[in-house]
Each structure stands twice: as C-alpha cells, then as structure tokens.
Amino acid sequence: MKKFNYQELVDSEQALQKRSIFWEPAIYEEELKQIFNRCWLFLGHESQLPQPGDFIRTYMGEDDVIVVRGKDKVIRAFLNACTHRGNKVCQAEGGNTRSFTCSYHGWSFNTEGELAGVPLEKEIYDNLPRERFGLVPVARLESYKGLLFGCFSESAPSLIEYLGDIAWYIDVVTDSAEGGLEVVGAPYKTEIPGNWKLPVENAIGDGYHVAWAHAGAMSVVGAIGSGRSDNVLGITANNMGVDQSGAVEIVMNTHTVLTTLDGQSGYALYDHPEPVLAHLEKNRPRVIEKLGELRGRQLYGSETHIGVFPNVQIIQGLNFIRIIHPKGPGKFEVWTYAMCERGMPDATKEIIHDHVRQTFGPAGLLEGDDGDFVEAITHSAAGYATRQMQGFLGMGMGRKAPWDGPGEASPGLVNEACQRGFYDQWRRTMEADNAYEVIGQTAPVAPVTAVVKELRHG
Amino acid sequence: MANAELKLAPTAPVSFEQEYAIGKFLSMEARVLDEERYPEWLELLTEDIRYQMPVAISTYRRARQGSTTLKPLFIIDDGFPGLKQRADREATGLVWLNDPATRHLRIITNIEVETTDTPNEFLVRSKFMIFRGRRDKDIASHAGWREDILRQTPQGWRIARRVVHLIERVVIDKNLNMFF
C-alpha cells in the first residue's frame, strides 16, 4: 500500500501535478525516505579533495555528511554525527584536518572515520569497543570520472547503472575537459523559502521563463564588452518570437538533458566570450576524436543542462554545478560551484568564474528572479483550495525531434519535456518498493558498459 | 578578515571637518540608494572603482589560507561597468519583484576614518544594516561591515573602493540584488 496516490499527485497522461506535493509535510517526509535515502546523490568533485586530510561538508537530503580523503588517500563519506551522543563532529564547511573532534565530550575520529580518541577512556570505560563506534559511513560512495556520489541504500544499483544513459551526456563535460574537470573552492550557498523540486525542474527544463521572468536581467546581461547574443535559447529579444529548431529537450528513464546543439551558445550571455570560444575551438578536434562527431560538434560548447535526479544539475555554458538541498517542505539551499577545464588558461577560467558570479551567484543578475516565484508557488499551496489545484506542464507533449543520442528528444527549449520527465521520475521513485525500481530496468547503453569496467579496475 | 590591501597606517590625523563630511556623505549615499536613485548613485563612484563582497567561508581558525582548495570566493566583484549593469537592470522596469515598489532602509554607523598614503584618499570603515521590505511582509535584512576608500575630488567625495563583509555564510534571502 503506497502512502499516497501518486498517480493522482502526478498525472503523466495529462501532465498535471497536484500542488500539495510542494507543501504537505507528510509528502516531504516520504521524499526524505524514498528519494534522498535511496537515490545516488551528488557529493562533490574529486578536485575539491586533492590531499589526504582534505574534507568538505555537504548534505544528502537533510543528513549532514562529511566527505574526506583519508591518510590512505581513499575518499570516504560519513554522517556528521558523533557516535556517542550525536553532536556534529565537524562545524567547518571544508578544509584540511587530521581528525574530527566532537565539541560535546571530545570524542575524536580520524580521517578514516575510526574512533581515535576518547577523553579519560581508561578511567571511565572498561574495554570500550572502539571499533563499534567509528563514524557511520554513507553506505555507498562512487566516483564517475571525478564526480562523487553517495547513496544510503546498500541494495541500490551501482552509480553507473543509476546514471544510465545520462552518463553519455556527462562525458561531454568530463571527457572534453582539457586536463579534466576542475571544481575548485567553495560553493555559493543561498537559502530560499520554497520547495526543493521547483528550482530543480526550473533549471533542467524551463526555457519558457527565461525571457519573461528574467526580462530585466536579459536586457542587460552580456552587454559589457563584446558578448551578448539577441537570440538566447531560441527566444528572440523581448520574448516576441521563438525558434524551436536546433535545440532539444531529452528525457531518459531517470534523468534529463536540454541542449542547444549548436556547439557554442553556452557562452551567448558572457560579457567576454572570445577566450572561452577560442579555447572550445582549439580543444574541439580532441573532443571529436574522443567522443565522436555528434557530441564533439553539437554538444560540446552548447548550453546544456544535465539534470541528474533528484537534485544536481551540471550546466555547461553557464558552467556551474548546482545542488538543491531540501530543508523542509518550504525551504531549500542552492549550492553553486563554478566548473572549469583544468587545462584552460587562468584568464579563461577567470572569465568563467566571473560569469557564474555575475549571472547565478547570490547577487547574480538572473539568480535573483527565480526565488520569488518559487516561494510564491510553494507558499500559496498553504491554502487548502489552492493546494487542490494542479500545475500544467503540457508544452511540447507528443512532439518528437529526430535524435541519434540516447533518450527521447522533443524539439526546442521552450518545451516542458524535461520537467515532465522530472515529475514522472519523482512519481516512479516515490512509488518504488526497492532501489532498482527507481531506475526502471533498462540496461546501460554500450559505451557506458565500457566505463563500468574502467571504474572497477581503475 | 580585513583586506590586507586596505590595512594602511594613518599618515596624518584626520580633521574633524573631513570626518564630519565623510559621515554626511555616507548618510547621503545610503539615502540615494534607499530612494532607488541609481544613476545618481553611479555618479558617486570613481570610474576605477572596485566593489567586492567576499564570501565568509566557514573554515577552522587554524586553517591557513592556501592550505586547501577553499579559495576566496566573491559574491560581487565589480568594476564600474558591472555596477552600472546592475543599476541598469533595476531601471528596466522589468524586474517584476520590485513592483509593487520595494522599500529600502540602510543604517550606516560606527564610521572610522584613516588617512592613506594618497593625500586625497581616506580609508573609511563602517558598519551597516540593510532592510528590504516588499509586498505585505516579505522582509529581508543583512548586517555587516564595509571598508571603503573615499576620494576627495573637485566634484566632491567619490567611492574608489568598497569591500562589503556580510556576517552570514549562507545567504538567507531570495537574492542580494541591492547595493551595500
């Protein structure tokens, strides 16, 4: 017996979502269990932890998690909770350390998570079995080409199975990067009063809102220097027309991608795109050789929003990784990390960092608009009558675009295919009786299988 | 904490008149921003202004800068063109959340003035609280401190540099689309 009638909450046939899913505490509690305690969740990137002792703190759902590279160089993840009484053993957001020490009674854990020190141990305990009191590890931790994911479910499919077809798209970011992907430093963190699902589906699929919700920003962004395209995401200036050709929204079993397919428009809003574009063209032959014509010419350099269910978006072009951490049904934190290719010249990296800050940092020209309607959609559902209403994401339904890559493509970025894909996956995950049902049962495509081997032997 | 570049030893005492004028200038600037007179605010800046807001990254005290991958991160790091771009966005009339009109209130206090090696430039430290009210009860507030370089020009006082430090790590607000 499912806890809720999920077919009624998310009606895929008619593309309707009942608004109670943004508000009901009981649904949120079920999400923590069904989604955040079962799916693979993004933790960070290996480039954040180059040295033994390097750590970052993040969240898996609402669970506070430490990700640390041990003295043995192995990366592990632990619940940030002392095994004695549950106080946090780490209050810094990151850094380098030899140990994590609880501020309550001073129990201390090494970077491998073992209980290493107990004040007054000899006097107060008779044979304390230290080995039983190591930090609680996150059940699974795997890296996909440097992208670290954790999972609380012992019985979940492997990361590569969970990613499935989306790995083919992630490769465009990870494999194209000269010298590898680089996510250095701390993220921007903002707390917004809205439900976590809204910013996720906004980022992965809502091309419709760009020219309207961000109208003020769109009329000034990229206006400094040489940048600026008047045709962004296929929407002409002033929202007066839309060109749905070229770009696609792609829905896979579990995850989604939208992409412009033109190989360069990711940088359409930059004030100074030239160094980035020059780098792309210099690097492109290598990418074509490695990933083939389709990905090398059409995906590399395109504005591409890779949505890995449930809560991470890898966004090429705007060039950031964004995690949405739920904080109760009516609140979330947005974490935004700029990402670069390690081999880019420093000045080019700087341009990317500048652009991320300028557009989607906490004071970003575009970032500021989204929190507002996300809040209003969430909080208006406090009204019982409003909560009975349904959201409608029917745009582009039934429209198909030819596409040779994995997944089903629908034409244009002003399309709600990815958002429908997200809510369908939400329903599937909420209904699942086990972690395998979350991903459907399809086998990974061939290129991905090759990567599995590489991971297991590497 | 304090930006090393700005830690300049006093070279001469600051006159009462100068300190008084600087205090008045900062109050006037705050009012210009409260009244959303952005083009006029831009006139109070030098062409070579650098305006920064670093993120207060929460590391342990013992963590040395450069000892980890946690590099400085800025929420704002603008020259004049970037600030103008922000002001222009506000002026488009297309920022929907500012209609109905947003109410702004800035309190600037604890002003301390020091001279610098440049005779017409002063290091000015101040504390601020900024409140923003929208619609019925959409209230946000931020507090912090600023380190400014104010330049005395024939046209009057101008802001040549500003570093804004917030006390919050996680920004608790829908956006920081405002000037500090």
Side-chain angles (χ1 to χ4, degrees), chain B residues 122-140:
Chain B
F122 295 81
L123 167 60
V124 182
R125 295 190 179 88
S126 57
K127 308 282 199 291
F128 66 87
M129 289 188 76
I130 179 166
F131 299 87
R132 194 191 53 202
R134 291 190 185 116
R135 293 121 183 216
D136 296 338
K137 47 183 182 179
D138 181 356
I139 308 283

PDB file of all heavy atoms in Angstrom, chain B residues 122-140:
ATOM      1  N   PHE B 122      40.940  58.448   1.617  1.00  0.00           N
ATOM      2  CA  PHE B 122      40.768  58.069   3.017  1.00  0.00           C
ATOM      3  C   PHE B 122      40.211  56.661   3.115  1.00  0.00           C
ATOM      4  O   PHE B 122      39.365  56.257   2.314  1.00  0.00           O
ATOM      5  CB  PHE B 122      39.806  59.040   3.712  1.00  0.00           C
ATOM      6  CG  PHE B 122      40.360  60.438   3.785  1.00  0.00           C
ATOM      7  CD1 PHE B 122      40.266  61.301   2.681  1.00  0.00           C
ATOM      8  CD2 PHE B 122      41.008  60.882   4.931  1.00  0.00           C
ATOM      9  CE1 PHE B 122      40.788  62.584   2.740  1.00  0.00           C
ATOM     10  CE2 PHE B 122      41.543  62.162   4.989  1.00  0.00           C
ATOM     11  CZ  PHE B 122      41.441  63.022   3.894  1.00  0.00           C
ATOM     12  N   LEU B 123      40.741  55.921   4.087  1.00  0.00           N
ATOM     13  CA  LEU B 123      40.180  54.602   4.395  1.00  0.00           C
ATOM     14  C   LEU B 123      39.035  54.816   5.376  1.00  0.00           C
ATOM     15  O   LEU B 123      39.230  55.407   6.452  1.00  0.00           O
ATOM     16  CB  LEU B 123      41.259  53.716   5.011  1.00  0.00           C
ATOM     17  CG  LEU B 123      40.790  52.415   5.680  1.00  0.00           C
ATOM     18  CD1 LEU B 123      40.083  51.502   4.698  1.00  0.00           C
ATOM     19  CD2 LEU B 123      41.979  51.693   6.315  1.00  0.00           C
ATOM     20  N   VAL B 124      37.861  54.373   4.995  1.00  0.00           N
ATOM     21  CA  VAL B 124      36.679  54.603   5.828  1.00  0.00           C
ATOM     22  C   VAL B 124      36.028  53.265   6.146  1.00  0.00           C
ATOM     23  O   VAL B 124      35.614  52.537   5.255  1.00  0.00           O
ATOM     24  CB  VAL B 124      35.660  55.516   5.101  1.00  0.00           C
ATOM     25  CG1 VAL B 124      34.457  55.779   6.008  1.00  0.00           C
ATOM     26  CG2 VAL B 124      36.327  56.824   4.687  1.00  0.00           C
ATOM     27  N   ARG B 125      35.973  52.963   7.432  1.00  0.00           N
ATOM     28  CA  ARG B 125      35.298  51.742   7.860  1.00  0.00           C
ATOM     29  C   ARG B 125      33.929  52.102   8.410  1.00  0.00           C
ATOM     30  O   ARG B 125      33.781  53.106   9.103  1.00  0.00           O
ATOM     31  CB  ARG B 125      36.104  51.041   8.956  1.00  0.00           C
ATOM     32  CG  ARG B 125      37.452  50.521   8.501  1.00  0.00           C
ATOM     33  CD  ARG B 125      38.035  49.626   9.595  1.00  0.00           C
ATOM     34  NE  ARG B 125      39.317  49.075   9.189  1.00  0.00           N
ATOM     35  CZ  ARG B 125      40.474  49.690   9.389  1.00  0.00           C
ATOM     36  NH1 ARG B 125      40.527  50.878   9.984  1.00  0.00           N
ATOM     37  NH2 ARG B 125      41.596  49.121   9.006  1.00  0.00           N
ATOM     38  N   SER B 126      32.961  51.270   8.101  1.00  0.00           N
ATOM     39  CA  SER B 126      31.636  51.499   8.671  1.00  0.00           C
ATOM     40  C   SER B 126      30.915  50.178   8.864  1.00  0.00           C
ATOM     41  O   SER B 126      31.279  49.171   8.276  1.00  0.00           O
ATOM     42  CB  SER B 126      30.811  52.416   7.758  1.00  0.00           C
ATOM     43  OG  SER B 126      30.701  51.866   6.456  1.00  0.00           O
ATOM     44  N   LYS B 127      29.892  50.202   9.716  1.00  0.00           N
ATOM     45  CA  LYS B 127      29.013  49.043   9.906  1.00  0.00           C
ATOM     46  C   LYS B 127      27.678  49.392   9.269  1.00  0.00           C
ATOM     47  O   LYS B 127      27.281  50.553   9.224  1.00  0.00           O
ATOM     48  CB  LYS B 127      28.794  48.765  11.403  1.00  0.00           C
ATOM     49  CG  LYS B 127      30.075  48.653  12.226  1.00  0.00           C
ATOM     50  CD  LYS B 127      30.748  47.316  12.050  1.00  0.00           C
ATOM     51  CE  LYS B 127      31.730  47.002  13.153  1.00  0.00           C
ATOM     52  NZ  LYS B 127      32.936  47.785  13.195  1.00  0.00           N
ATOM     53  N   PHE B 128      26.999  48.359   8.785  1.00  0.00           N
ATOM     54  CA  PHE B 128      25.698  48.653   8.179  1.00  0.00           C
ATOM     55  C   PHE B 128      24.663  47.620   8.575  1.00  0.00           C
ATOM     56  O   PHE B 128      24.990  46.466   8.891  1.00  0.00           O
ATOM     57  CB  PHE B 128      25.800  48.696   6.643  1.00  0.00           C
ATOM     58  CG  PHE B 128      26.142  47.361   6.026  1.00  0.00           C
ATOM     59  CD1 PHE B 128      25.138  46.450   5.714  1.00  0.00           C
ATOM     60  CD2 PHE B 128      27.462  47.019   5.773  1.00  0.00           C
ATOM     61  CE1 PHE B 128      25.456  45.208   5.163  1.00  0.00           C
ATOM     62  CE2 PHE B 128      27.776  45.777   5.223  1.00  0.00           C
ATOM     63  CZ  PHE B 128      26.775  44.875   4.920  1.00  0.00           C
ATOM     64  N   MET B 129      23.414  48.077   8.539  1.00  0.00           N
ATOM     65  CA  MET B 129      22.284  47.150   8.498  1.00  0.00           C
ATOM     66  C   MET B 129      21.446  47.586   7.315  1.00  0.00           C
ATOM     67  O   MET B 129      21.247  48.785   7.091  1.00  0.00           O
ATOM     68  CB  MET B 129      21.461  47.203   9.780  1.00  0.00           C
ATOM     69  CG  MET B 129      22.182  46.588  10.955  1.00  0.00           C
ATOM     70  SD  MET B 129      21.101  46.468  12.382  1.00  0.00           S
ATOM     71  CE  MET B 129      20.072  45.078  11.916  1.00  0.00           C
ATOM     72  N   ILE B 130      20.981  46.621   6.558  1.00  0.00           N
ATOM     73  CA  ILE B 130      20.170  46.942   5.392  1.00  0.00           C
ATOM     74  C   ILE B 130      18.885  46.126   5.480  1.00  0.00           C
ATOM     75  O   ILE B 130      18.917  44.929   5.769  1.00  0.00           O
ATOM     76  CB  ILE B 130      20.973  46.689   4.093  1.00  0.00           C
ATOM     77  CG1 ILE B 130      20.157  46.994   2.857  1.00  0.00           C
ATOM     78  CG2 ILE B 130      21.533  45.281   4.012  1.00  0.00           C
ATOM     79  CD1 ILE B 130      21.029  47.087   1.600  1.00  0.00           C
ATOM     80  N   PHE B 131      17.780  46.802   5.331  1.00  0.00           N
ATOM     81  CA  PHE B 131      16.468  46.148   5.403  1.00  0.00           C
ATOM     82  C   PHE B 131      15.765  46.350   4.071  1.00  0.00           C
ATOM     83  O   PHE B 131      15.874  47.427   3.464  1.00  0.00           O
ATOM     84  CB  PHE B 131      15.604  46.758   6.510  1.00  0.00           C
ATOM     85  CG  PHE B 131      16.180  46.620   7.881  1.00  0.00           C
ATOM     86  CD1 PHE B 131      17.071  47.564   8.377  1.00  0.00           C
ATOM     87  CD2 PHE B 131      15.837  45.542   8.685  1.00  0.00           C
ATOM     88  CE1 PHE B 131      17.623  47.430   9.640  1.00  0.00           C
ATOM     89  CE2 PHE B 131      16.384  45.401   9.946  1.00  0.00           C
ATOM     90  CZ  PHE B 131      17.279  46.352  10.428  1.00  0.00           C
ATOM     91  N   ARG B 132      15.053  45.332   3.655  1.00  0.00           N
ATOM     92  CA  ARG B 132      14.323  45.449   2.401  1.00  0.00           C
ATOM     93  C   ARG B 132      12.927  44.887   2.633  1.00  0.00           C
ATOM     94  O   ARG B 132      12.779  43.734   3.070  1.00  0.00           O
ATOM     95  CB  ARG B 132      15.032  44.637   1.320  1.00  0.00           C
ATOM     96  CG  ARG B 132      14.594  44.933  -0.087  1.00  0.00           C
ATOM     97  CD  ARG B 132      15.164  43.903  -1.016  1.00  0.00           C
ATOM     98  NE  ARG B 132      14.830  42.574  -0.523  1.00  0.00           N
ATOM     99  CZ  ARG B 132      15.494  41.470  -0.835  1.00  0.00           C
ATOM    100  NH1 ARG B 132      16.528  41.516  -1.624  1.00  0.00           N
ATOM    101  NH2 ARG B 132      15.120  40.306  -0.351  1.00  0.00           N
ATOM    102  N   GLY B 133      11.937  45.683   2.378  1.00  0.00           N
ATOM    103  CA  GLY B 133      10.552  45.239   2.554  1.00  0.00           C
ATOM    104  C   GLY B 133       9.822  45.264   1.225  1.00  0.00           C
ATOM    105  O   GLY B 133       9.918  46.232   0.473  1.00  0.00           O
ATOM    106  N   ARG B 134       9.167  44.146   0.937  1.00  0.00           N
ATOM    107  CA  ARG B 134       8.383  44.078  -0.295  1.00  0.00           C
ATOM    108  C   ARG B 134       6.988  43.603   0.038  1.00  0.00           C
ATOM    109  O   ARG B 134       6.797  42.831   0.969  1.00  0.00           O
ATOM    110  CB  ARG B 134       8.968  43.059  -1.276  1.00  0.00           C
ATOM    111  CG  ARG B 134      10.282  43.421  -1.874  1.00  0.00           C
ATOM    112  CD  ARG B 134      10.598  42.445  -2.999  1.00  0.00           C
ATOM    113  NE  ARG B 134      11.922  42.693  -3.533  1.00  0.00           N
ATOM    114  CZ  ARG B 134      12.930  41.823  -3.463  1.00  0.00           C
ATOM    115  NH1 ARG B 134      12.757  40.672  -2.883  1.00  0.00           N
ATOM    116  NH2 ARG B 134      14.097  42.132  -3.978  1.00  0.00           N
ATOM    117  N   ARG B 135       6.041  44.007  -0.772  1.00  0.00           N
ATOM    118  CA  ARG B 135       4.676  43.498  -0.667  1.00  0.00           C
ATOM    119  C   ARG B 135       4.170  43.564   0.770  1.00  0.00           C
ATOM    120  O   ARG B 135       4.438  44.496   1.468  1.00  0.00           O
ATOM    121  CB  ARG B 135       4.608  42.065  -1.216  1.00  0.00           C
ATOM    122  CG  ARG B 135       4.847  41.994  -2.715  1.00  0.00           C
ATOM    123  CD  ARG B 135       6.031  41.134  -3.009  1.00  0.00           C
ATOM    124  NE  ARG B 135       6.329  41.098  -4.440  1.00  0.00           N
ATOM    125  CZ  ARG B 135       6.773  40.031  -5.063  1.00  0.00           C
ATOM    126  NH1 ARG B 135       6.962  38.923  -4.408  1.00  0.00           N
ATOM    127  NH2 ARG B 135       7.048  40.083  -6.334  1.00  0.00           N
ATOM    128  N   ASP B 136       3.482  42.488   1.212  1.00  0.00           N
ATOM    129  CA  ASP B 136       2.882  42.547   2.534  1.00  0.00           C
ATOM    130  C   ASP B 136       3.920  42.380   3.640  1.00  0.00           C
ATOM    131  O   ASP B 136       4.038  43.214   4.522  1.00  0.00           O
ATOM    132  CB  ASP B 136       1.816  41.441   2.677  1.00  0.00           C
ATOM    133  CG  ASP B 136       0.669  41.661   1.704  1.00  0.00           C
ATOM    134  OD1 ASP B 136       0.501  42.816   1.257  1.00  0.00           O
ATOM    135  OD2 ASP B 136      -0.033  40.697   1.384  1.00  0.00           O
ATOM    136  N   LYS B 137       4.650  41.301   3.605  1.00  0.00           N
ATOM    137  CA  LYS B 137       5.607  41.067   4.692  1.00  0.00           C
ATOM    138  C   LYS B 137       6.818  40.289   4.215  1.00  0.00           C
ATOM    139  O   LYS B 137       7.288  39.374   4.893  1.00  0.00           O
ATOM    140  CB  LYS B 137       4.936  40.372   5.881  1.00  0.00           C
ATOM    141  CG  LYS B 137       4.075  39.176   5.500  1.00  0.00           C
ATOM    142  CD  LYS B 137       3.388  38.601   6.722  1.00  0.00           C
ATOM    143  CE  LYS B 137       2.579  37.393   6.333  1.00  0.00           C
ATOM    144  NZ  LYS B 137       1.903  36.773   7.462  1.00  0.00           N
ATOM    145  N   ASP B 138       7.268  40.605   3.037  1.00  0.00           N
ATOM    146  CA  ASP B 138       8.477  39.988   2.500  1.00  0.00           C
ATOM    147  C   ASP B 138       9.664  40.850   2.943  1.00  0.00           C
ATOM    148  O   ASP B 138      10.100  41.747   2.258  1.00  0.00           O
ATOM    149  CB  ASP B 138       8.353  39.919   0.964  1.00  0.00           C
ATOM    150  CG  ASP B 138       9.566  39.271   0.306  1.00  0.00           C
ATOM    151  OD1 ASP B 138      10.534  38.946   1.025  1.00  0.00           O
ATOM    152  OD2 ASP B 138       9.548  39.103  -0.930  1.00  0.00           O
ATOM    153  N   ILE B 139      10.132  40.572   4.152  1.00  0.00           N
ATOM    154  CA  ILE B 139      11.176  41.405   4.761  1.00  0.00           C
ATOM    155  C   ILE B 139      12.488  40.634   4.780  1.00  0.00           C
ATOM    156  O   ILE B 139      12.521  39.485   5.209  1.00  0.00           O
ATOM    157  CB  ILE B 139      10.821  41.769   6.227  1.00  0.00           C
ATOM    158  CG1 ILE B 139       9.421  42.371   6.321  1.00  0.00           C
ATOM    159  CG2 ILE B 139      11.873  42.694   6.827  1.00  0.00           C
ATOM    160  CD1 ILE B 139       9.287  43.788   5.882  1.00  0.00           C
ATOM    161  N   ALA B 140      13.533  41.251   4.334  1.00  0.00           N
ATOM    162  CA  ALA B 140      14.860  40.638   4.445  1.00  0.00           C
ATOM    163  C   ALA B 140      15.788  41.664   5.081  1.00  0.00           C
ATOM    164  O   ALA B 140      15.596  42.871   4.922  1.00  0.00           O
ATOM    165  CB  ALA B 140      15.381  40.234   3.075  1.00  0.00           C
TER     166      ALA B 140
END
